[in-house]
Amino acid sequence: LVRGDDDRLSGPLQHPRHRLVGVRDAHGGVDDQHDRVRCLYGDLPPTAGAAYLSAYRGGERSIFEAAPAERRRIRSFSLGMVYQHASQGLNLGISAGGNVAERLLAANWRRVGDIRERAAHLLGRMEVPVTRMDDQPSHFSGGMQQRVQIAKALANGPLLVLLDEMT
């Protein structure tokens, strides 16, 4: 959960297998929400508040207090991110499968066959034709780029996927 300066929490919605958390700022605008999500993912440094994740010190310490190496580990193993603009979350100059592979390599996957299999599985689940796995996302439609980005975000089986301004 994210706690703001006024100590109000965004509330979780319970589901038997999942927990959904909305991050919002009653006084802020879209840019504040965008920055808060990017701060949670580690793209921006926090300026105030705290964020807790069960995978980091049992949820007893804010991830904002983590050392840089710990933040990289949290990001690589526990978080996924889908940006509003796919160009922020994808390397458009490498293949769709390569984008998924980047996440897996960050999470210590090392066997090429396993990486390609996982990438093909996720891209297929996102309705990106596996025959396009070796194509660069720069040649895809915007919707297909977003689906590649979702596959990338889910690649490492994160505890939490952050969605930046998803509609």
PDB file of all heavy atoms in Angstrom, residues 95-121:
ATOM      1  N   SER A  95      13.938  -7.421 -30.555  1.00  0.00           N
ATOM      2  CA  SER A  95      12.733  -8.211 -30.836  1.00  0.00           C
ATOM      3  C   SER A  95      11.761  -8.221 -29.649  1.00  0.00           C
ATOM      4  O   SER A  95      12.135  -7.933 -28.510  1.00  0.00           O
ATOM      5  CB  SER A  95      13.123  -9.649 -31.174  1.00  0.00           C
ATOM      6  OG  SER A  95      13.610 -10.305 -30.014  1.00  0.00           O
ATOM      7  N   ALA A  96      10.518  -8.582 -29.962  1.00  0.00           N
ATOM      8  CA  ALA A  96       9.506  -8.734 -28.915  1.00  0.00           C
ATOM      9  C   ALA A  96       9.974  -9.767 -27.892  1.00  0.00           C
ATOM     10  O   ALA A  96       9.896  -9.540 -26.682  1.00  0.00           O
ATOM     11  CB  ALA A  96       8.167  -9.148 -29.533  1.00  0.00           C
ATOM     12  N   GLY A  97      10.478 -10.890 -28.371  1.00  0.00           N
ATOM     13  CA  GLY A  97      11.002 -11.916 -27.472  1.00  0.00           C
ATOM     14  C   GLY A  97      12.187 -11.414 -26.671  1.00  0.00           C
ATOM     15  O   GLY A  97      12.347 -11.750 -25.498  1.00  0.00           O
ATOM     16  N   GLY A  98      13.011 -10.578 -27.297  1.00  0.00           N
ATOM     17  CA  GLY A  98      14.157  -9.991 -26.598  1.00  0.00           C
ATOM     18  C   GLY A  98      13.738  -9.075 -25.471  1.00  0.00           C
ATOM     19  O   GLY A  98      14.392  -9.007 -24.431  1.00  0.00           O
ATOM     20  N   ASN A  99      12.635  -8.364 -25.659  1.00  0.00           N
ATOM     21  CA  ASN A  99      12.117  -7.508 -24.591  1.00  0.00           C
ATOM     22  C   ASN A  99      11.689  -8.329 -23.387  1.00  0.00           C
ATOM     23  O   ASN A  99      11.982  -7.978 -22.246  1.00  0.00           O
ATOM     24  CB  ASN A  99      10.950  -6.655 -25.108  1.00  0.00           C
ATOM     25  CG  ASN A  99      11.411  -5.366 -25.734  1.00  0.00           C
ATOM     26  OD1 ASN A  99      11.685  -4.402 -25.040  1.00  0.00           O
ATOM     27  ND2 ASN A  99      11.513  -5.362 -27.056  1.00  0.00           N
ATOM     28  N   VAL A 100      11.013  -9.439 -23.638  1.00  0.00           N
ATOM     29  CA  VAL A 100      10.619 -10.331 -22.544  1.00  0.00           C
ATOM     30  C   VAL A 100      11.874 -10.932 -21.909  1.00  0.00           C
ATOM     31  O   VAL A 100      11.990 -11.024 -20.680  1.00  0.00           O
ATOM     32  CB  VAL A 100       9.650 -11.426 -23.035  1.00  0.00           C
ATOM     33  CG1 VAL A 100       9.326 -12.410 -21.915  1.00  0.00           C
ATOM     34  CG2 VAL A 100       8.368 -10.807 -23.588  1.00  0.00           C
ATOM     35  N   ALA A 101      12.833 -11.297 -22.749  1.00  0.00           N
ATOM     36  CA  ALA A 101      14.084 -11.891 -22.253  1.00  0.00           C
ATOM     37  C   ALA A 101      14.833 -10.943 -21.324  1.00  0.00           C
ATOM     38  O   ALA A 101      15.436 -11.390 -20.342  1.00  0.00           O
ATOM     39  CB  ALA A 101      14.974 -12.293 -23.428  1.00  0.00           C
ATOM     40  N   GLU A 102      14.786  -9.640 -21.590  1.00  0.00           N
ATOM     41  CA  GLU A 102      15.448  -8.669 -20.707  1.00  0.00           C
ATOM     42  C   GLU A 102      14.970  -8.819 -19.272  1.00  0.00           C
ATOM     43  O   GLU A 102      15.772  -8.801 -18.331  1.00  0.00           O
ATOM     44  CB  GLU A 102      15.167  -7.232 -21.166  1.00  0.00           C
ATOM     45  CG  GLU A 102      15.999  -6.755 -22.300  1.00  0.00           C
ATOM     46  CD  GLU A 102      15.745  -5.290 -22.622  1.00  0.00           C
ATOM     47  OE1 GLU A 102      14.643  -4.769 -22.353  1.00  0.00           O
ATOM     48  OE2 GLU A 102      16.678  -4.670 -23.143  1.00  0.00           O
ATOM     49  N   ARG A 103      13.661  -8.947 -19.085  1.00  0.00           N
ATOM     50  CA  ARG A 103      13.106  -9.106 -17.737  1.00  0.00           C
ATOM     51  C   ARG A 103      13.557 -10.414 -17.111  1.00  0.00           C
ATOM     52  O   ARG A 103      13.855 -10.486 -15.930  1.00  0.00           O
ATOM     53  CB  ARG A 103      11.572  -9.089 -17.773  1.00  0.00           C
ATOM     54  CG  ARG A 103      10.972  -7.762 -18.000  1.00  0.00           C
ATOM     55  CD  ARG A 103      11.199  -6.811 -16.857  1.00  0.00           C
ATOM     56  NE  ARG A 103      10.383  -7.153 -15.698  1.00  0.00           N
ATOM     57  CZ  ARG A 103      10.606  -6.684 -14.483  1.00  0.00           C
ATOM     58  NH1 ARG A 103      11.587  -5.875 -14.250  1.00  0.00           N
ATOM     59  NH2 ARG A 103       9.838  -7.028 -13.496  1.00  0.00           N
ATOM     60  N   LEU A 104      13.561 -11.464 -17.915  1.00  0.00           N
ATOM     61  CA  LEU A 104      13.958 -12.776 -17.392  1.00  0.00           C
ATOM     62  C   LEU A 104      15.435 -12.794 -17.018  1.00  0.00           C
ATOM     63  O   LEU A 104      15.811 -13.359 -15.988  1.00  0.00           O
ATOM     64  CB  LEU A 104      13.629 -13.860 -18.413  1.00  0.00           C
ATOM     65  CG  LEU A 104      12.128 -14.037 -18.690  1.00  0.00           C
ATOM     66  CD1 LEU A 104      11.906 -14.981 -19.858  1.00  0.00           C
ATOM     67  CD2 LEU A 104      11.397 -14.518 -17.445  1.00  0.00           C
ATOM     68  N   LEU A 105      16.264 -12.167 -17.819  1.00  0.00           N
ATOM     69  CA  LEU A 105      17.693 -12.093 -17.497  1.00  0.00           C
ATOM     70  C   LEU A 105      17.912 -11.308 -16.210  1.00  0.00           C
ATOM     71  O   LEU A 105      18.767 -11.676 -15.390  1.00  0.00           O
ATOM     72  CB  LEU A 105      18.466 -11.473 -18.662  1.00  0.00           C
ATOM     73  CG  LEU A 105      18.575 -12.351 -19.902  1.00  0.00           C
ATOM     74  CD1 LEU A 105      19.096 -11.536 -21.090  1.00  0.00           C
ATOM     75  CD2 LEU A 105      19.472 -13.557 -19.645  1.00  0.00           C
ATOM     76  N   ALA A 106      17.150 -10.242 -16.010  1.00  0.00           N
ATOM     77  CA  ALA A 106      17.258  -9.457 -14.771  1.00  0.00           C
ATOM     78  C   ALA A 106      16.856 -10.287 -13.558  1.00  0.00           C
ATOM     79  O   ALA A 106      17.317 -10.040 -12.444  1.00  0.00           O
ATOM     80  CB  ALA A 106      16.401  -8.199 -14.857  1.00  0.00           C
ATOM     81  N   ALA A 107      15.995 -11.296 -13.779  1.00  0.00           N
ATOM     82  CA  ALA A 107      15.539 -12.174 -12.690  1.00  0.00           C
ATOM     83  C   ALA A 107      16.344 -13.480 -12.667  1.00  0.00           C
ATOM     84  O   ALA A 107      15.882 -14.494 -12.150  1.00  0.00           O
ATOM     85  CB  ALA A 107      14.049 -12.463 -12.843  1.00  0.00           C
ATOM     86  N   ASN A 108      17.540 -13.446 -13.237  1.00  0.00           N
ATOM     87  CA  ASN A 108      18.518 -14.543 -13.192  1.00  0.00           C
ATOM     88  C   ASN A 108      18.157 -15.780 -14.002  1.00  0.00           C
ATOM     89  O   ASN A 108      18.633 -16.868 -13.705  1.00  0.00           O
ATOM     90  CB  ASN A 108      18.845 -14.944 -11.749  1.00  0.00           C
ATOM     91  CG  ASN A 108      19.635 -13.875 -11.034  1.00  0.00           C
ATOM     92  OD1 ASN A 108      20.391 -13.128 -11.659  1.00  0.00           O
ATOM     93  ND2 ASN A 108      19.459 -13.770  -9.737  1.00  0.00           N
ATOM     94  N   TRP A 109      17.320 -15.638 -15.024  1.00  0.00           N
ATOM     95  CA  TRP A 109      17.116 -16.748 -15.951  1.00  0.00           C
ATOM     96  C   TRP A 109      18.357 -16.801 -16.830  1.00  0.00           C
ATOM     97  O   TRP A 109      18.844 -15.771 -17.296  1.00  0.00           O
ATOM     98  CB  TRP A 109      15.891 -16.511 -16.818  1.00  0.00           C
ATOM     99  CG  TRP A 109      14.579 -16.702 -16.124  1.00  0.00           C
ATOM    100  CD1 TRP A 109      14.148 -16.099 -14.978  1.00  0.00           C
ATOM    101  CD2 TRP A 109      13.516 -17.529 -16.567  1.00  0.00           C
ATOM    102  NE1 TRP A 109      12.876 -16.500 -14.682  1.00  0.00           N
ATOM    103  CE2 TRP A 109      12.460 -17.381 -15.641  1.00  0.00           C
ATOM    104  CE3 TRP A 109      13.344 -18.375 -17.656  1.00  0.00           C
ATOM    105  CZ2 TRP A 109      11.257 -18.057 -15.774  1.00  0.00           C
ATOM    106  CZ3 TRP A 109      12.137 -19.045 -17.794  1.00  0.00           C
ATOM    107  CH2 TRP A 109      11.118 -18.882 -16.850  1.00  0.00           C
ATOM    108  N   ARG A 110      18.878 -17.993 -17.116  1.00  0.00           N
ATOM    109  CA  ARG A 110      20.114 -18.083 -17.889  1.00  0.00           C
ATOM    110  C   ARG A 110      20.041 -19.046 -19.068  1.00  0.00           C
ATOM    111  O   ARG A 110      20.851 -18.958 -19.967  1.00  0.00           O
ATOM    112  CB  ARG A 110      21.286 -18.478 -16.982  1.00  0.00           C
ATOM    113  CG  ARG A 110      21.601 -17.432 -15.935  1.00  0.00           C
ATOM    114  CD  ARG A 110      22.094 -16.138 -16.577  1.00  0.00           C
ATOM    115  NE  ARG A 110      22.375 -15.103 -15.617  1.00  0.00           N
ATOM    116  CZ  ARG A 110      21.670 -14.000 -15.470  1.00  0.00           C
ATOM    117  NH1 ARG A 110      20.622 -13.766 -16.218  1.00  0.00           N
ATOM    118  NH2 ARG A 110      21.998 -13.100 -14.576  1.00  0.00           N
ATOM    119  N   ARG A 111      19.104 -19.962 -19.099  1.00  0.00           N
ATOM    120  CA  ARG A 111      19.024 -20.934 -20.196  1.00  0.00           C
ATOM    121  C   ARG A 111      18.216 -20.355 -21.356  1.00  0.00           C
ATOM    122  O   ARG A 111      17.033 -20.044 -21.204  1.00  0.00           O
ATOM    123  CB  ARG A 111      18.407 -22.239 -19.719  1.00  0.00           C
ATOM    124  CG  ARG A 111      19.301 -23.003 -18.730  1.00  0.00           C
ATOM    125  CD  ARG A 111      18.630 -24.275 -18.268  1.00  0.00           C
ATOM    126  NE  ARG A 111      17.876 -24.912 -19.325  1.00  0.00           N
ATOM    127  CZ  ARG A 111      18.230 -26.024 -19.966  1.00  0.00           C
ATOM    128  NH1 ARG A 111      19.326 -26.626 -19.633  1.00  0.00           N
ATOM    129  NH2 ARG A 111      17.465 -26.523 -20.912  1.00  0.00           N
ATOM    130  N   VAL A 112      18.887 -20.212 -22.503  1.00  0.00           N
ATOM    131  CA  VAL A 112      18.269 -19.592 -23.668  1.00  0.00           C
ATOM    132  C   VAL A 112      16.987 -20.308 -24.071  1.00  0.00           C
ATOM    133  O   VAL A 112      15.975 -19.665 -24.373  1.00  0.00           O
ATOM    134  CB  VAL A 112      19.271 -19.538 -24.848  1.00  0.00           C
ATOM    135  CG1 VAL A 112      18.597 -19.039 -26.117  1.00  0.00           C
ATOM    136  CG2 VAL A 112      20.457 -18.657 -24.491  1.00  0.00           C
ATOM    137  N   GLY A 113      16.988 -21.621 -24.073  1.00  0.00           N
ATOM    138  CA  GLY A 113      15.792 -22.369 -24.446  1.00  0.00           C
ATOM    139  C   GLY A 113      14.624 -22.080 -23.526  1.00  0.00           C
ATOM    140  O   GLY A 113      13.485 -21.912 -23.987  1.00  0.00           O
ATOM    141  N   ASP A 114      14.897 -22.007 -22.220  1.00  0.00           N
ATOM    142  CA  ASP A 114      13.834 -21.693 -21.249  1.00  0.00           C
ATOM    143  C   ASP A 114      13.310 -20.272 -21.451  1.00  0.00           C
ATOM    144  O   ASP A 114      12.108 -20.021 -21.340  1.00  0.00           O
ATOM    145  CB  ASP A 114      14.346 -21.848 -19.819  1.00  0.00           C
ATOM    146  CG  ASP A 114      14.657 -23.293 -19.444  1.00  0.00           C
ATOM    147  OD1 ASP A 114      14.206 -24.210 -20.165  1.00  0.00           O
ATOM    148  OD2 ASP A 114      15.362 -23.497 -18.431  1.00  0.00           O
ATOM    149  N   ILE A 115      14.226 -19.355 -21.738  1.00  0.00           N
ATOM    150  CA  ILE A 115      13.840 -17.957 -21.945  1.00  0.00           C
ATOM    151  C   ILE A 115      12.951 -17.834 -23.186  1.00  0.00           C
ATOM    152  O   ILE A 115      11.901 -17.193 -23.150  1.00  0.00           O
ATOM    153  CB  ILE A 115      15.094 -17.053 -22.056  1.00  0.00           C
ATOM    154  CG1 ILE A 115      15.786 -16.977 -20.690  1.00  0.00           C
ATOM    155  CG2 ILE A 115      14.723 -15.669 -22.572  1.00  0.00           C
ATOM    156  CD1 ILE A 115      17.152 -16.311 -20.722  1.00  0.00           C
ATOM    157  N   ARG A 116      13.345 -18.459 -24.282  1.00  0.00           N
ATOM    158  CA  ARG A 116      12.543 -18.399 -25.519  1.00  0.00           C
ATOM    159  C   ARG A 116      11.176 -19.059 -25.317  1.00  0.00           C
ATOM    160  O   ARG A 116      10.160 -18.549 -25.777  1.00  0.00           O
ATOM    161  CB  ARG A 116      13.282 -19.043 -26.686  1.00  0.00           C
ATOM    162  CG  ARG A 116      14.341 -18.115 -27.286  1.00  0.00           C
ATOM    163  CD  ARG A 116      14.881 -18.615 -28.606  1.00  0.00           C
ATOM    164  NE  ARG A 116      13.916 -18.674 -29.679  1.00  0.00           N
ATOM    165  CZ  ARG A 116      13.524 -17.649 -30.434  1.00  0.00           C
ATOM    166  NH1 ARG A 116      14.002 -16.443 -30.198  1.00  0.00           N
ATOM    167  NH2 ARG A 116      12.659 -17.811 -31.422  1.00  0.00           N
ATOM    168  N   GLU A 117      11.161 -20.164 -24.584  1.00  0.00           N
ATOM    169  CA  GLU A 117       9.893 -20.854 -24.314  1.00  0.00           C
ATOM    170  C   GLU A 117       8.960 -19.973 -23.491  1.00  0.00           C
ATOM    171  O   GLU A 117       7.763 -19.864 -23.785  1.00  0.00           O
ATOM    172  CB  GLU A 117      10.178 -22.173 -23.601  1.00  0.00           C
ATOM    173  CG  GLU A 117       8.952 -23.011 -23.338  1.00  0.00           C
ATOM    174  CD  GLU A 117       9.309 -24.326 -22.650  1.00  0.00           C
ATOM    175  OE1 GLU A 117      10.258 -25.000 -23.100  1.00  0.00           O
ATOM    176  OE2 GLU A 117       8.639 -24.659 -21.660  1.00  0.00           O
ATOM    177  N   ARG A 118       9.491 -19.341 -22.452  1.00  0.00           N
ATOM    178  CA  ARG A 118       8.672 -18.466 -21.602  1.00  0.00           C
ATOM    179  C   ARG A 118       8.173 -17.261 -22.403  1.00  0.00           C
ATOM    180  O   ARG A 118       7.003 -16.876 -22.300  1.00  0.00           O
ATOM    181  CB  ARG A 118       9.482 -18.012 -20.376  1.00  0.00           C
ATOM    182  CG  ARG A 118       8.768 -17.039 -19.472  1.00  0.00           C
ATOM    183  CD  ARG A 118       7.826 -17.712 -18.546  1.00  0.00           C
ATOM    184  NE  ARG A 118       7.306 -16.751 -17.579  1.00  0.00           N
ATOM    185  CZ  ARG A 118       6.101 -16.792 -17.078  1.00  0.00           C
ATOM    186  NH1 ARG A 118       5.289 -17.776 -17.394  1.00  0.00           N
ATOM    187  NH2 ARG A 118       5.702 -15.895 -16.229  1.00  0.00           N
ATOM    188  N   ALA A 119       9.061 -16.669 -23.203  1.00  0.00           N
ATOM    189  CA  ALA A 119       8.671 -15.516 -24.025  1.00  0.00           C
ATOM    190  C   ALA A 119       7.574 -15.912 -25.006  1.00  0.00           C
ATOM    191  O   ALA A 119       6.571 -15.190 -25.153  1.00  0.00           O
ATOM    192  CB  ALA A 119       9.882 -14.950 -24.765  1.00  0.00           C
ATOM    193  N   ALA A 120       7.725 -17.040 -25.677  1.00  0.00           N
ATOM    194  CA  ALA A 120       6.719 -17.501 -26.638  1.00  0.00           C
ATOM    195  C   ALA A 120       5.382 -17.744 -25.935  1.00  0.00           C
ATOM    196  O   ALA A 120       4.319 -17.362 -26.447  1.00  0.00           O
ATOM    197  CB  ALA A 120       7.193 -18.772 -27.341  1.00  0.00           C
ATOM    198  N   HIS A 121       5.422 -18.355 -24.759  1.00  0.00           N
ATOM    199  CA  HIS A 121       4.203 -18.624 -23.997  1.00  0.00           C
ATOM    200  C   HIS A 121       3.483 -17.317 -23.645  1.00  0.00           C
ATOM    201  O   HIS A 121       2.274 -17.182 -23.862  1.00  0.00           O
ATOM    202  CB  HIS A 121       4.540 -19.416 -22.730  1.00  0.00           C
ATOM    203  CG  HIS A 121       3.397 -19.548 -21.782  1.00  0.00           C
ATOM    204  ND1 HIS A 121       2.328 -20.389 -22.009  1.00  0.00           N
ATOM    205  CD2 HIS A 121       3.145 -18.908 -20.615  1.00  0.00           C
ATOM    206  CE1 HIS A 121       1.468 -20.270 -21.013  1.00  0.00           C
ATOM    207  NE2 HIS A 121       1.939 -19.380 -20.152  1.00  0.00           N
TER     208      HIS A 121
END
